[in-house]
Amino acid sequence: MTERDFAAWEREAALDRETALDRAVADDHEVMDELRVLLQLAAPHLSAPADRMDRVLARAALARRRRRRAALAAGLAVGLTAAVLAAAPALAPGPTGTVLGPAASGPALGAMPAAGAPSGAPAGSPEASASASPGPGSGDPRSPSPAESPSVGADGGSTDGPTGDAIGPLRPTRFTLLDGVIIDVPDAWSELTLLGTAGRPESVGYLASQSIAREPGCPIRNGVQQPVCLAAGGLLDNSMIVSVRVLRDEKLATEAAGRSALLRDTELDKDCAIHGGSRQLVAQQVVIPNGKAEVVELSACLRRPAQETLSTLYRLTASVRLFGTATNSQITSTG
C-alpha cells in the first residue's frame, strides 16, 4: 500500500466514523423527543379542588375571628383595670387622709367623662404657700420633712388619697402635640409645649407653679443652652415644675395600667437638680388615642413641697384625659 492509498483509506475511515456519530446523535435526539412526548402524554392533569376557594375563605374568616377575640380580651383587661382604679378613690379615706393615692384612671383611658363630673378641687387659694419649713433637724433642702412624705405602697408608689385641700380654679389645657392630651392646670400656673426639632425630636409639655422662661433667656450650663427654665432662676420653696411626655410603648402601658399607685418617688434626675428640686415624683397614665395604648408620663420636680402642693400634683396627674373642652397649650420652638 502506497502512502497515497493509506491517506485515502484514512479519509474514508474518518468519514465512516463521522457518519456513525451523526446517526447515534440523531438516534439520541429521536429517543429524547419520543421520551418527552411520552412524559407529556403520561402526566395527569390535576384540576383544583371544587371547594378550594371555600377553604381559603374559611381560613381567612377564622383568622379574623381569632384577631377579634384577642383584641376583645385585651380591651376587656384594660377596661377592668380602669374600673378598679377609678373606684379606688371612692374607697379611700376622707379629708383626714394624706395627699397621694391610687390613680383615677377612668378618664385617662380615653373614655368621655360623665356629664357634671368634677374636674378638680373646689375653688380656693390659687397658689401654694410661698414657703414650707423643713423637717425637724433638717437643714438640707433635699431632705423634706416626714409630713411631706406620702405613704408608699409595695410598688414604690403612694397609697393614700388627697386631703381635699383647695388648689384654686382649674384651666383644662390641651397639649395638641402630645396626641391631644388634656390636663387640668391650676389657673395661676404657667405652661407651654416645646416643639421637637431635628436635634431633639421629642415634643415635651411643661407646667409650673412659677413663671417659665425659654431660650435665649435660659442660662447656659456645661456649654449647653437650656431650652426651658424657670424665670426665677430655680424652684422656690413649696413649688414645682412638671414635664409631660407621651411614651408610645404598649408593654409599658400594660405595666402602668396594672399599678395600684398614681405617683411614685424616684431619684432626682439632672434637670431636676438644675432646677434646685429636693424631691421628684413620676406618674404614668394610660391613654388610647388611636386604638393603641400609650403612656402619658408626668415627671414632677418639687422643692420642699407642703401637703397642699402634693395634693395639687395628685389632682393634676389624675386629670389626664383625651376628651373635653380645653384651651390649647402655647407652642414654642427653640434650640
Side-chain angles (χ1 to χ4, degrees), residues 142 200 206 219-230 233-235 241 243 245 266-280 282 299-302:
R142 298 187 183 279
R200 187 187 57 253
Y206 290 94
I220 297 177
R221 301 181 187 274
N222 300 324
V224 178
Q225 176 79 61
Q226 300 297 310
V228 172
C229 61
L230 294 167
L235 285 169
I241 181 171
S243 64
R245 291 177 170 83
T266 185
E267 294 183 4
L268 296 186
D269 61 20
K270 180 177 66 175
D271 291 337
C272 187
I274 289 175
H275 291 314
S278 62
R279 187 175 184 184
Q280 189 165 357
V282 175
S299 180
C301 178
L302 309 95

Side-chain angles (χ1 to χ4, degrees), residues 277-301:
S278 62
R279 187 175 184 184
Q280 189 165 357
L281 292 165
V282 175
Q284 291 182 332
Q285 291 279 51
V286 180
V287 296
I288 308 177
N290 298 307
K292 291 186 178 180
E294 299 176 352
V295 172
V296 179
E297 182 176 86
L298 298 94
S299 180
C301 178

Side-chain angles (χ1 to χ4, degrees), residues 5-26:
D5 294 338
F6 181 77
W9 178 81
E10 248 187 1
R11 285 195 298 273
E12 290 178 1
L15 182 59
D16 291 341
R17 285 196 298 273
E18 289 178 2
T19 303
L21 182 59
D22 290 342
R23 287 176 180 174
V25 170

Side-chain angles (χ1 to χ4, degrees), residues 203-226:
S203 294
V204 184
Y206 290 94
L207 316 168
S209 56
Q210 302 174 207
S211 296
I212 300 177
R214 55 183 183 271
E215 187 182 348
C218 294
I220 297 177
R221 301 181 187 274
N222 300 324
V224 178
Q225 176 79 61
Q226 300 297 310

Side-chain angles (χ1 to χ4, degrees), residues 172-284:
T173 303
R174 185 188 307 278
F175 293 84
T176 306
L177 297 182
L178 304 181
D179 291 343
V181 166
I182 297 174
I183 300 176
D184 290 337
V185 181
D187 209 21
W189 283 33
S190 55
E191 48 75 23
L192 61 82
T193 301
L194 185 63
L195 180 66
T197 62
R200 187 187 57 253
E202 179 188 32
S203 294
V204 184
Y206 290 94
L207 316 168
S209 56
Q210 302 174 207
S211 296
I212 300 177
R214 55 183 183 271
E215 187 182 348
C218 294
I220 297 177
R221 301 181 187 274
N222 300 324
V224 178
Q225 176 79 61
Q226 300 297 310
V228 172
C229 61
L230 294 167
L235 285 169
L236 304 175
D237 284 353
N238 198 31
S239 60
M240 72 177 102
I241 181 171
V242 183
S243 64
V244 185
R245 291 177 170 83
V246 172
L247 308 177
R248 296 172 177 87
D249 187 328
E250 292 191 23
K251 181 179 179 181
L252 181 62
T254 302
E255 295 174 356
R259 291 196 182 102
S260 60
L262 174 57
L263 287 163
R264 294 175 293 128
D265 272 291
T266 185
E267 294 183 4
L268 296 186
D269 61 20
K270 180 177 66 175
D271 291 337
C272 187
I274 289 175
H275 291 314
S278 62
R279 187 175 184 184
Q280 189 165 357
L281 292 165
V282 175
Q284 291 182 332

